[in-house]
Amino acid sequence: LDPSLTIELSPRLTAATGMDALAHNFEAFCAPNFHPMADGIALEGMKLIKASLITAFKDGKNIKARQNLLAASSMGSTAFQKGLGAIHSLSHPINAKFNMHHGLSNAIFMPYVLTFNKKSIDKKISSICLFVGIDTNFESFLNWILELRKELKIPHKLSELIEINPNDIDELSQMALEDPSTLSNPIKLKKEDLKTMYQYSIEGKLF
């Protein structure tokens, strides 16, 4: 992992790939499977991202920030052997059908999935907050995600980037349901749940 190779990465791609790494670590930690080693790696990955993503976005030549993000990215890909969740389930069909950057779609879907899963991950969110240095409640974590996206100039709504025909939502939702990431979402998902999350992400409405 050579951070010098990432120095010229644009702010736009730094934001998208940084949020991708956050999604990997976050969903791995929240996945219901038992894998305490993956949990530890995911927590440290999120801490590194919180400490460094905004810095690297604003100053791409900051080698320490780049090093932290590269490590966190690798940690996410190690941790998600435990599983992922609906952020990825929703993203993969959008990536395939609309050619949207995977990290960008993960960033857009993150708060919608986070609030949908709230009742099953509330305790895990408190653990993340305690470890990374955020007030230990769900709302504080959600606000951090929303503010982080705003600072990284990531849109809040899917409809700000692409136009989805209402008739396409059924096909996208079926693709999402069949995605391997769906099986390890903290709440068992039905097609209607995925339809609702797509619709909310288009409207900008949180659960």
Side-chain angles (χ1 to χ4, degrees), residues 46-60:
M46 285 185 276
K47 189 173 186 178
L48 289 172
I49 290 164
K50 183 175 183 295
S52 300
L53 180 51
I54 293 297
T55 299
F57 176 73
K58 293 180 176 178
D59 176 15

Side-chain angles (χ1 to χ4, degrees), residues 159-175:
S159 54
E160 294 177 55
L161 294 175
I162 57 174
E163 184 176 345
I164 298 178
N165 188 309
N167 295 330
D168 292 335
I169 293 180
D170 187 74
E171 180 190 10
L172 291 166
S173 300
Q174 184 62 38
M175 292 171 70

Side-chain angles (χ1 to χ4, degrees), residues 32-33 84-85 89 176-177 179-189:
N33 303 323
L84 287 167
S89 305
L177 184 66
D179 191 274
S181 303
T182 298
L183 293 173
S184 47
N185 190 70
I187 294 175
K188 185 174 175 58
L189 295 168

